[in-house]
Amino acid sequence: MTPAAGPFAIASALLVAGGLLKSVHPDDTATALRESGVPASRLLVRVGGLVEAVLGAAALATGSRVTAVLVALSYIAFAAFVARALRHHTPLATCGCFGKDDSPPTRLHVVVTAAAAAAAVAVAVQPGVGIGTVVQHQPLAGVPFLALLLCGVAFA
């Protein structure tokens, strides 16, 4: 099992949470995309959010090579989007990733998303870290791992 299993689980869970929140509250993300020159509608953001949530759930469940590559690409794209916005001083009020109570993108967003992409790449190289498999190999029925997963999601 790869040491990236924990960070990958956190990254996948964040895709689920962020995707669901974007699908419910698409306005901030649509505005951020438009401010960056990317044409986006509320419907496009809603559908994209649902796709993101499904990808995150599939990655969390399976930890497969395919889902890991897709998670890595998602985080690379987001890191590039935020880095571009910061470099060009695009006035993004929020990226909309976590609904209404979000903050404007910062360099820390780029670092965190790059770390999530790196964890996903590590899992793509050594797949098979679905949550069931990971928990099965953990002490105390995986409760400490799941607690750390929740803490990692909350921290991020």
Short mmCIF file of all heavy atoms in Angstrom, two decimals, residues 28-99:
data_model
loop_
_atom_site.label_atom_id
_atom_site.label_comp_id
_atom_site.label_asym_id
_atom_site.label_seq_id
_atom_site.Cartn_x
_atom_site.Cartn_y
_atom_site.Cartn_z
N ASP A 28 -20.82 31.34 -7.86
CA ASP A 28 -19.45 31.82 -7.62
C ASP A 28 -18.46 31.20 -8.59
O ASP A 28 -17.57 31.88 -9.10
CB ASP A 28 -19.03 31.53 -6.17
CG ASP A 28 -19.75 32.42 -5.18
OD1 ASP A 28 -20.17 33.52 -5.55
OD2 ASP A 28 -19.87 32.01 -4.01
N THR A 29 -18.60 29.91 -8.84
CA THR A 29 -17.68 29.26 -9.77
C THR A 29 -17.88 29.78 -11.19
O THR A 29 -16.91 30.04 -11.90
CB THR A 29 -17.87 27.73 -9.72
OG1 THR A 29 -17.65 27.29 -8.38
CG2 THR A 29 -16.89 27.03 -10.65
N ALA A 30 -19.13 29.94 -11.60
CA ALA A 30 -19.41 30.46 -12.93
C ALA A 30 -18.83 31.87 -13.08
O ALA A 30 -18.22 32.19 -14.11
CB ALA A 30 -20.91 30.46 -13.20
N THR A 31 -18.97 32.69 -12.05
CA THR A 31 -18.42 34.05 -12.09
C THR A 31 -16.89 34.01 -12.16
O THR A 31 -16.28 34.73 -12.95
CB THR A 31 -18.87 34.85 -10.85
OG1 THR A 31 -20.30 34.92 -10.87
CG2 THR A 31 -18.28 36.24 -10.84
N ALA A 32 -16.27 33.15 -11.34
CA ALA A 32 -14.80 33.05 -11.35
C ALA A 32 -14.31 32.61 -12.72
O ALA A 32 -13.31 33.14 -13.22
CB ALA A 32 -14.34 32.07 -10.28
N LEU A 33 -14.98 31.66 -13.33
CA LEU A 33 -14.58 31.21 -14.67
C LEU A 33 -14.73 32.33 -15.69
O LEU A 33 -13.82 32.57 -16.50
CB LEU A 33 -15.40 29.99 -15.08
CG LEU A 33 -15.07 28.70 -14.34
CD1 LEU A 33 -16.11 27.62 -14.64
CD2 LEU A 33 -13.68 28.21 -14.68
N ARG A 34 -15.85 33.04 -15.66
CA ARG A 34 -16.07 34.14 -16.60
C ARG A 34 -15.04 35.25 -16.40
O ARG A 34 -14.53 35.82 -17.36
CB ARG A 34 -17.48 34.68 -16.49
CG ARG A 34 -18.51 33.76 -17.13
CD ARG A 34 -19.87 34.45 -17.28
NE ARG A 34 -20.44 34.85 -16.01
CZ ARG A 34 -21.24 34.08 -15.25
NH1 ARG A 34 -21.58 32.88 -15.66
NH2 ARG A 34 -21.71 34.54 -14.11
N GLU A 35 -14.72 35.58 -15.12
CA GLU A 35 -13.71 36.61 -14.85
C GLU A 35 -12.34 36.22 -15.39
O GLU A 35 -11.52 37.08 -15.67
CB GLU A 35 -13.61 36.87 -13.34
CG GLU A 35 -14.79 37.62 -12.77
CD GLU A 35 -14.76 37.73 -11.25
OE1 GLU A 35 -13.90 37.08 -10.60
OE2 GLU A 35 -15.59 38.46 -10.71
N SER A 36 -12.12 34.93 -15.53
CA SER A 36 -10.84 34.44 -16.07
C SER A 36 -10.88 34.25 -17.57
O SER A 36 -9.93 33.73 -18.15
CB SER A 36 -10.49 33.10 -15.40
OG SER A 36 -10.28 33.31 -14.04
N GLY A 37 -12.00 34.60 -18.19
CA GLY A 37 -12.09 34.48 -19.64
C GLY A 37 -12.60 33.15 -20.13
O GLY A 37 -12.55 32.87 -21.32
N VAL A 38 -13.08 32.31 -19.23
CA VAL A 38 -13.62 31.00 -19.61
C VAL A 38 -15.14 31.11 -19.62
O VAL A 38 -15.74 31.41 -18.59
CB VAL A 38 -13.18 29.91 -18.60
CG1 VAL A 38 -13.79 28.56 -18.97
CG2 VAL A 38 -11.68 29.83 -18.51
N PRO A 39 -15.76 30.91 -20.79
CA PRO A 39 -17.22 31.00 -20.82
C PRO A 39 -17.84 29.89 -19.97
O PRO A 39 -17.48 28.72 -20.11
CB PRO A 39 -17.58 30.84 -22.30
CG PRO A 39 -16.35 30.31 -22.95
CD PRO A 39 -15.18 30.57 -22.06
N ALA A 40 -18.72 30.27 -19.07
CA ALA A 40 -19.34 29.27 -18.20
C ALA A 40 -20.74 29.73 -17.80
O ALA A 40 -20.96 30.90 -17.52
CB ALA A 40 -18.50 29.07 -16.95
N SER A 41 -21.63 28.78 -17.79
CA SER A 41 -22.99 29.04 -17.34
C SER A 41 -23.23 28.29 -16.04
O SER A 41 -22.46 27.41 -15.67
CB SER A 41 -24.00 28.56 -18.40
OG SER A 41 -23.95 27.14 -18.49
N ARG A 42 -24.30 28.65 -15.37
CA ARG A 42 -24.66 27.95 -14.14
C ARG A 42 -24.89 26.47 -14.42
O ARG A 42 -24.47 25.62 -13.64
CB ARG A 42 -25.91 28.58 -13.54
CG ARG A 42 -25.68 30.00 -13.04
CD ARG A 42 -26.95 30.66 -12.54
NE ARG A 42 -27.24 30.13 -11.21
CZ ARG A 42 -28.41 29.64 -10.83
NH1 ARG A 42 -29.42 29.63 -11.66
NH2 ARG A 42 -28.58 29.18 -9.61
N LEU A 43 -25.53 26.16 -15.54
CA LEU A 43 -25.79 24.76 -15.89
C LEU A 43 -24.49 24.00 -16.11
O LEU A 43 -24.33 22.88 -15.61
CB LEU A 43 -26.68 24.66 -17.13
CG LEU A 43 -26.97 23.24 -17.64
CD1 LEU A 43 -27.73 22.44 -16.58
CD2 LEU A 43 -27.74 23.29 -18.94
N LEU A 44 -23.56 24.60 -16.82
CA LEU A 44 -22.26 23.96 -17.05
C LEU A 44 -21.55 23.68 -15.72
O LEU A 44 -20.98 22.61 -15.52
CB LEU A 44 -21.39 24.83 -17.95
CG LEU A 44 -20.00 24.27 -18.26
CD1 LEU A 44 -20.10 23.00 -19.09
CD2 LEU A 44 -19.16 25.32 -18.97
N VAL A 45 -21.59 24.64 -14.80
CA VAL A 45 -20.94 24.46 -13.50
C VAL A 45 -21.66 23.37 -12.70
O VAL A 45 -21.01 22.54 -12.06
CB VAL A 45 -20.90 25.79 -12.72
CG1 VAL A 45 -20.44 25.57 -11.28
CG2 VAL A 45 -19.99 26.80 -13.43
N ARG A 46 -22.99 23.35 -12.76
CA ARG A 46 -23.74 22.31 -12.05
C ARG A 46 -23.36 20.91 -12.56
O ARG A 46 -23.08 20.01 -11.79
CB ARG A 46 -25.24 22.50 -12.21
CG ARG A 46 -25.82 23.58 -11.35
CD ARG A 46 -27.35 23.60 -11.51
NE ARG A 46 -27.94 24.82 -11.06
CZ ARG A 46 -28.27 25.08 -9.80
NH1 ARG A 46 -28.05 24.18 -8.88
NH2 ARG A 46 -28.81 26.23 -9.46
N VAL A 47 -23.35 20.76 -13.87
CA VAL A 47 -23.00 19.46 -14.47
C VAL A 47 -21.55 19.11 -14.15
O VAL A 47 -21.23 17.99 -13.75
CB VAL A 47 -23.27 19.46 -15.99
CG1 VAL A 47 -22.70 18.21 -16.65
CG2 VAL A 47 -24.76 19.59 -16.26
N GLY A 48 -20.65 20.08 -14.30
CA GLY A 48 -19.25 19.86 -13.97
C GLY A 48 -19.06 19.48 -12.51
O GLY A 48 -18.25 18.61 -12.18
N GLY A 49 -19.82 20.12 -11.63
CA GLY A 49 -19.74 19.78 -10.21
C GLY A 49 -20.18 18.36 -9.94
O GLY A 49 -19.56 17.65 -9.13
N LEU A 50 -21.24 17.93 -10.61
CA LEU A 50 -21.70 16.56 -10.43
C LEU A 50 -20.67 15.56 -10.96
O LEU A 50 -20.42 14.52 -10.33
CB LEU A 50 -23.06 16.36 -11.09
CG LEU A 50 -24.24 17.04 -10.40
CD1 LEU A 50 -25.51 16.90 -11.23
CD2 LEU A 50 -24.44 16.49 -9.00
N VAL A 51 -20.08 15.87 -12.10
CA VAL A 51 -19.04 15.00 -12.65
C VAL A 51 -17.86 14.93 -11.68
O VAL A 51 -17.31 13.85 -11.41
CB VAL A 51 -18.59 15.48 -14.05
CG1 VAL A 51 -17.34 14.77 -14.52
CG2 VAL A 51 -19.72 15.30 -15.05
N GLU A 52 -17.48 16.07 -11.14
CA GLU A 52 -16.39 16.12 -10.17
C GLU A 52 -16.71 15.26 -8.93
O GLU A 52 -15.86 14.52 -8.44
CB GLU A 52 -16.19 17.58 -9.75
CG GLU A 52 -15.08 17.84 -8.79
CD GLU A 52 -14.96 19.33 -8.46
OE1 GLU A 52 -15.32 20.19 -9.29
OE2 GLU A 52 -14.50 19.63 -7.35
N ALA A 53 -17.94 15.36 -8.44
CA ALA A 53 -18.34 14.58 -7.26
C ALA A 53 -18.33 13.08 -7.56
O ALA A 53 -17.87 12.28 -6.73
CB ALA A 53 -19.72 15.03 -6.79
N VAL A 54 -18.80 12.71 -8.73
CA VAL A 54 -18.81 11.29 -9.11
C VAL A 54 -17.38 10.78 -9.25
O VAL A 54 -17.05 9.67 -8.78
CB VAL A 54 -19.62 11.06 -10.41
CG1 VAL A 54 -19.40 9.67 -10.97
CG2 VAL A 54 -21.11 11.30 -10.15
N LEU A 55 -16.51 11.57 -9.86
CA LEU A 55 -15.11 11.18 -9.98
C LEU A 55 -14.49 10.99 -8.60
O LEU A 55 -13.81 10.00 -8.35
CB LEU A 55 -14.31 12.23 -10.76
CG LEU A 55 -12.79 12.07 -10.72
CD1 LEU A 55 -12.35 10.72 -11.29
CD2 LEU A 55 -12.11 13.22 -11.45
N GLY A 56 -14.72 11.94 -7.70
CA GLY A 56 -14.17 11.83 -6.36
C GLY A 56 -14.67 10.59 -5.64
O GLY A 56 -13.89 9.89 -4.98
N ALA A 57 -15.96 10.30 -5.78
CA ALA A 57 -16.53 9.12 -5.12
C ALA A 57 -15.94 7.84 -5.71
O ALA A 57 -15.61 6.90 -4.97
CB ALA A 57 -18.05 9.13 -5.26
N ALA A 58 -15.81 7.80 -7.04
CA ALA A 58 -15.23 6.61 -7.68
C ALA A 58 -13.78 6.42 -7.26
O ALA A 58 -13.33 5.30 -7.00
CB ALA A 58 -15.35 6.73 -9.20
N ALA A 59 -13.03 7.51 -7.19
CA ALA A 59 -11.63 7.43 -6.77
C ALA A 59 -11.52 6.98 -5.33
O ALA A 59 -10.69 6.13 -4.99
CB ALA A 59 -10.95 8.80 -6.96
N LEU A 60 -12.38 7.51 -4.48
CA LEU A 60 -12.37 7.12 -3.07
C LEU A 60 -12.72 5.65 -2.92
O LEU A 60 -12.11 4.93 -2.13
CB LEU A 60 -13.37 8.00 -2.31
CG LEU A 60 -13.30 8.03 -0.80
CD1 LEU A 60 -11.94 8.46 -0.31
CD2 LEU A 60 -14.37 8.97 -0.26
N ALA A 61 -13.68 5.20 -3.71
CA ALA A 61 -14.13 3.80 -3.60
C ALA A 61 -13.13 2.81 -4.16
O ALA A 61 -12.93 1.74 -3.59
CB ALA A 61 -15.47 3.63 -4.31
N THR A 62 -12.49 3.16 -5.28
CA THR A 62 -11.66 2.16 -5.97
C THR A 62 -10.16 2.39 -5.86
O THR A 62 -9.40 1.43 -5.86
CB THR A 62 -12.00 2.10 -7.47
OG1 THR A 62 -11.60 3.33 -8.10
CG2 THR A 62 -13.48 1.84 -7.70
N GLY A 63 -9.74 3.66 -5.85
CA GLY A 63 -8.31 3.94 -5.88
C GLY A 63 -7.63 3.36 -7.11
O GLY A 63 -6.46 3.01 -7.08
N SER A 64 -8.36 3.28 -8.21
CA SER A 64 -7.83 2.68 -9.43
C SER A 64 -6.89 3.63 -10.16
O SER A 64 -6.87 4.83 -9.91
CB SER A 64 -8.98 2.29 -10.37
OG SER A 64 -9.55 3.45 -10.94
N ARG A 65 -6.13 3.07 -11.08
CA ARG A 65 -5.19 3.87 -11.88
C ARG A 65 -5.95 4.94 -12.68
O ARG A 65 -5.55 6.10 -12.73
CB ARG A 65 -4.39 2.97 -12.80
CG ARG A 65 -3.38 3.73 -13.65
CD ARG A 65 -2.38 2.82 -14.34
NE ARG A 65 -1.35 2.45 -13.36
CZ ARG A 65 -1.04 1.20 -13.05
NH1 ARG A 65 -1.64 0.20 -13.63
NH2 ARG A 65 -0.10 0.94 -12.16
N VAL A 66 -7.06 4.56 -13.30
CA VAL A 66 -7.82 5.49 -14.13
C VAL A 66 -8.36 6.65 -13.29
O VAL A 66 -8.22 7.81 -13.66
CB VAL A 66 -8.98 4.77 -14.87
CG1 VAL A 66 -9.91 5.75 -15.54
CG2 VAL A 66 -8.41 3.78 -15.88
N THR A 67 -8.98 6.32 -12.15
CA THR A 67 -9.53 7.41 -11.33
C THR A 67 -8.40 8.27 -10.77
O THR A 67 -8.55 9.49 -10.67
CB THR A 67 -10.43 6.88 -10.19
OG1 THR A 67 -9.68 6.01 -9.34
CG2 THR A 67 -11.66 6.19 -10.73
N ALA A 68 -7.27 7.67 -10.43
CA ALA A 68 -6.15 8.44 -9.91
C ALA A 68 -5.62 9.42 -10.96
O ALA A 68 -5.32 10.58 -10.64
CB ALA A 68 -5.04 7.52 -9.43
N VAL A 69 -5.52 8.97 -12.20
CA VAL A 69 -5.07 9.86 -13.27
C VAL A 69 -6.07 11.00 -13.47
O VAL A 69 -5.68 12.17 -13.60
CB VAL A 69 -4.87 9.07 -14.60
CG1 VAL A 69 -4.71 10.01 -15.78
CG2 VAL A 69 -3.67 8.15 -14.48
N LEU A 70 -7.36 10.69 -13.43
CA LEU A 70 -8.37 11.74 -13.60
C LEU A 70 -8.37 12.72 -12.42
O LEU A 70 -8.56 13.93 -12.62
CB LEU A 70 -9.75 11.11 -13.78
CG LEU A 70 -9.93 10.34 -15.09
CD1 LEU A 70 -11.27 9.62 -15.12
CD2 LEU A 70 -9.79 11.27 -16.29
N VAL A 71 -8.16 12.23 -11.22
CA VAL A 71 -8.04 13.11 -10.06
C VAL A 71 -6.82 14.00 -10.22
O VAL A 71 -6.88 15.22 -9.98
CB VAL A 71 -8.00 12.30 -8.74
CG1 VAL A 71 -7.57 13.17 -7.57
CG2 VAL A 71 -9.35 11.66 -8.46
N ALA A 72 -5.70 13.44 -10.63
CA ALA A 72 -4.48 14.23 -10.84
C ALA A 72 -4.72 15.32 -11.87
O ALA A 72 -4.36 16.49 -11.66
CB ALA A 72 -3.33 13.33 -11.27
N LEU A 73 -5.36 14.97 -12.98
CA LEU A 73 -5.64 15.96 -14.02
C LEU A 73 -6.57 17.06 -13.51
O LEU A 73 -6.39 18.24 -13.84
CB LEU A 73 -6.24 15.29 -15.25
CG LEU A 73 -5.28 14.40 -16.04
CD1 LEU A 73 -6.03 13.64 -17.15
CD2 LEU A 73 -4.12 15.21 -16.61
N SER A 74 -7.55 16.69 -12.70
CA SER A 74 -8.46 17.68 -12.12
C SER A 74 -7.70 18.69 -11.26
O SER A 74 -7.90 19.91 -11.38
CB SER A 74 -9.53 17.00 -11.26
OG SER A 74 -10.35 16.19 -12.04
N TYR A 75 -6.84 18.17 -10.39
CA TYR A 75 -6.10 19.07 -9.51
C TYR A 75 -5.04 19.87 -10.26
O TYR A 75 -4.78 21.03 -9.92
CB TYR A 75 -5.50 18.29 -8.34
CG TYR A 75 -6.51 18.08 -7.24
CD1 TYR A 75 -7.13 16.86 -7.04
CD2 TYR A 75 -6.88 19.14 -6.41
CE1 TYR A 75 -8.07 16.68 -6.04
CE2 TYR A 75 -7.82 18.97 -5.41
CZ TYR A 75 -8.41 17.74 -5.22
OH TYR A 75 -9.35 17.58 -4.24
N ILE A 76 -4.43 19.30 -11.28
CA ILE A 76 -3.47 20.05 -12.09
C ILE A 76 -4.19 21.20 -12.79
O ILE A 76 -3.68 22.34 -12.82
CB ILE A 76 -2.76 19.12 -13.10
CG1 ILE A 76 -1.79 18.20 -12.36
CG2 ILE A 76 -2.03 19.93 -14.17
CD1 ILE A 76 -1.27 17.04 -13.20
N ALA A 77 -5.37 20.92 -13.34
CA ALA A 77 -6.14 21.97 -14.01
C ALA A 77 -6.53 23.08 -13.04
O ALA A 77 -6.42 24.27 -13.36
CB ALA A 77 -7.39 21.37 -14.67
N PHE A 78 -6.95 22.70 -11.84
CA PHE A 78 -7.34 23.71 -10.86
C PHE A 78 -6.13 24.53 -10.41
O PHE A 78 -6.21 25.76 -10.30
CB PHE A 78 -8.04 23.07 -9.66
CG PHE A 78 -8.50 24.09 -8.65
CD1 PHE A 78 -9.42 25.06 -8.99
CD2 PHE A 78 -7.98 24.07 -7.38
CE1 PHE A 78 -9.81 26.02 -8.07
CE2 PHE A 78 -8.37 25.03 -6.44
CZ PHE A 78 -9.29 26.00 -6.79
N ALA A 79 -5.01 23.87 -10.17
CA ALA A 79 -3.80 24.59 -9.77
C ALA A 79 -3.38 25.57 -10.86
O ALA A 79 -3.01 26.72 -10.57
CB ALA A 79 -2.67 23.61 -9.45
N ALA A 80 -3.46 25.14 -12.11
CA ALA A 80 -3.10 26.01 -13.23
C ALA A 80 -4.06 27.19 -13.33
O ALA A 80 -3.64 28.33 -13.58
CB ALA A 80 -3.09 25.22 -14.54
N PHE A 81 -5.35 26.94 -13.12
CA PHE A 81 -6.36 28.01 -13.16
C PHE A 81 -6.07 29.06 -12.09
O PHE A 81 -6.05 30.26 -12.37
CB PHE A 81 -7.76 27.40 -12.96
CG PHE A 81 -8.84 28.41 -12.79
CD1 PHE A 81 -9.35 29.11 -13.87
CD2 PHE A 81 -9.37 28.67 -11.53
CE1 PHE A 81 -10.35 30.05 -13.71
CE2 PHE A 81 -10.36 29.61 -11.36
CZ PHE A 81 -10.86 30.30 -12.45
N VAL A 82 -5.82 28.62 -10.88
CA VAL A 82 -5.57 29.55 -9.78
C VAL A 82 -4.24 30.28 -10.00
O VAL A 82 -4.15 31.49 -9.80
CB VAL A 82 -5.59 28.83 -8.42
CG1 VAL A 82 -5.19 29.78 -7.30
CG2 VAL A 82 -6.97 28.26 -8.15
N ALA A 83 -3.20 29.55 -10.41
CA ALA A 83 -1.90 30.18 -10.67
C ALA A 83 -2.02 31.25 -11.75
O ALA A 83 -1.45 32.34 -11.63
CB ALA A 83 -0.87 29.13 -11.06
N ARG A 84 -2.77 30.94 -12.80
CA ARG A 84 -2.97 31.91 -13.87
C ARG A 84 -3.71 33.14 -13.35
O ARG A 84 -3.35 34.27 -13.66
CB ARG A 84 -3.74 31.28 -15.02
CG ARG A 84 -3.96 32.22 -16.20
CD ARG A 84 -4.80 31.56 -17.29
NE ARG A 84 -5.04 32.45 -18.38
CZ ARG A 84 -5.96 33.41 -18.40
NH1 ARG A 84 -6.73 33.60 -17.34
NH2 ARG A 84 -6.11 34.18 -19.45
N ALA A 85 -4.76 32.93 -12.57
CA ALA A 85 -5.52 34.04 -12.01
C ALA A 85 -4.63 34.91 -11.12
O ALA A 85 -4.70 36.14 -11.18
CB ALA A 85 -6.72 33.52 -11.22
N LEU A 86 -3.79 34.29 -10.32
CA LEU A 86 -2.89 35.04 -9.45
C LEU A 86 -1.84 35.80 -10.27
O LEU A 86 -1.55 36.96 -9.99
CB LEU A 86 -2.20 34.11 -8.46
CG LEU A 86 -3.11 33.51 -7.38
CD1 LEU A 86 -2.36 32.44 -6.60
CD2 LEU A 86 -3.64 34.58 -6.45
N ARG A 87 -1.29 35.13 -11.28
CA ARG A 87 -0.24 35.74 -12.11
C ARG A 87 -0.77 36.95 -12.88
O ARG A 87 -0.09 37.95 -13.05
CB ARG A 87 0.32 34.70 -13.08
CG ARG A 87 1.54 35.14 -13.84
CD ARG A 87 2.21 34.04 -14.66
NE ARG A 87 1.32 33.08 -15.29
CZ ARG A 87 1.09 31.83 -14.84
NH1 ARG A 87 1.67 31.40 -13.75
NH2 ARG A 87 0.28 31.02 -15.47
N HIS A 88 -2.03 36.85 -13.35
CA HIS A 88 -2.61 37.94 -14.15
C HIS A 88 -3.43 38.90 -13.30
O HIS A 88 -4.13 39.74 -13.85
CB HIS A 88 -3.45 37.36 -15.29
CG HIS A 88 -2.65 36.62 -16.30
ND1 HIS A 88 -1.78 37.24 -17.15
CD2 HIS A 88 -2.57 35.30 -16.59
CE1 HIS A 88 -1.19 36.34 -17.94
NE2 HIS A 88 -1.65 35.15 -17.60
N HIS A 89 -3.38 38.72 -11.99
CA HIS A 89 -4.12 39.58 -11.06
C HIS A 89 -5.61 39.64 -11.39
O HIS A 89 -6.23 40.68 -11.31
CB HIS A 89 -3.52 40.99 -11.03
CG HIS A 89 -2.06 41.00 -10.70
ND1 HIS A 89 -1.59 40.69 -9.45
CD2 HIS A 89 -0.97 41.23 -11.47
CE1 HIS A 89 -0.27 40.75 -9.45
NE2 HIS A 89 0.14 41.06 -10.67
N THR A 90 -6.15 38.48 -11.79
CA THR A 90 -7.58 38.39 -12.07
C THR A 90 -8.32 38.54 -10.75
O THR A 90 -8.05 37.80 -9.80
CB THR A 90 -7.92 37.04 -12.72
OG1 THR A 90 -7.12 36.89 -13.90
CG2 THR A 90 -9.39 36.97 -13.11
N PRO A 91 -9.26 39.47 -10.66
CA PRO A 91 -9.93 39.74 -9.39
C PRO A 91 -11.01 38.70 -9.05
O PRO A 91 -12.20 38.97 -9.14
CB PRO A 91 -10.55 41.12 -9.61
CG PRO A 91 -10.84 41.14 -11.08
CD PRO A 91 -9.72 40.34 -11.72
N LEU A 92 -10.57 37.53 -8.65
CA LEU A 92 -11.53 36.49 -8.28
C LEU A 92 -11.92 36.69 -6.82
O LEU A 92 -11.08 36.67 -5.93
CB LEU A 92 -10.91 35.09 -8.44
CG LEU A 92 -10.41 34.71 -9.82
CD1 LEU A 92 -9.80 33.33 -9.78
CD2 LEU A 92 -11.55 34.76 -10.83
N ALA A 93 -13.19 36.89 -6.58
CA ALA A 93 -13.67 37.05 -5.21
C ALA A 93 -13.61 35.70 -4.49
O ALA A 93 -13.32 35.61 -3.31
CB ALA A 93 -15.08 37.59 -5.21
N THR A 94 -13.93 34.65 -5.20
CA THR A 94 -13.93 33.29 -4.66
C THR A 94 -13.91 32.33 -5.83
O THR A 94 -14.34 32.67 -6.93
CB THR A 94 -15.16 33.04 -3.78
OG1 THR A 94 -15.10 31.71 -3.28
CG2 THR A 94 -16.46 33.22 -4.54
N CYS A 95 -13.43 31.13 -5.60
CA CYS A 95 -13.47 30.13 -6.67
C CYS A 95 -14.77 29.33 -6.61
O CYS A 95 -15.10 28.62 -7.55
CB CYS A 95 -12.26 29.20 -6.59
SG CYS A 95 -12.16 28.25 -5.08
N GLY A 96 -15.49 29.43 -5.51
CA GLY A 96 -16.77 28.74 -5.40
C GLY A 96 -16.65 27.26 -5.09
O GLY A 96 -17.65 26.54 -5.16
N CYS A 97 -15.49 26.81 -4.73
CA CYS A 97 -15.29 25.37 -4.53
C CYS A 97 -16.11 24.80 -3.38
O CYS A 97 -16.50 23.64 -3.41
CB CYS A 97 -13.81 25.07 -4.28
SG CYS A 97 -12.80 25.39 -5.72
N PHE A 98 -16.33 25.60 -2.36
CA PHE A 98 -17.03 25.08 -1.19
C PHE A 98 -18.25 25.91 -0.84
O PHE A 98 -18.52 26.20 0.31
CB PHE A 98 -16.07 24.94 -0.01
CG PHE A 98 -15.03 23.90 -0.30
CD1 PHE A 98 -13.75 24.27 -0.61
CD2 PHE A 98 -15.36 22.57 -0.31
CE1 PHE A 98 -12.80 23.31 -0.92
CE2 PHE A 98 -14.43 21.60 -0.64
CZ PHE A 98 -13.14 21.97 -0.93
N GLY A 99 -19.00 26.28 -1.88
CA GLY A 99 -20.24 26.99 -1.64
C GLY A 99 -20.00 28.45 -1.30
O GLY A 99 -19.02 29.05 -1.70
#
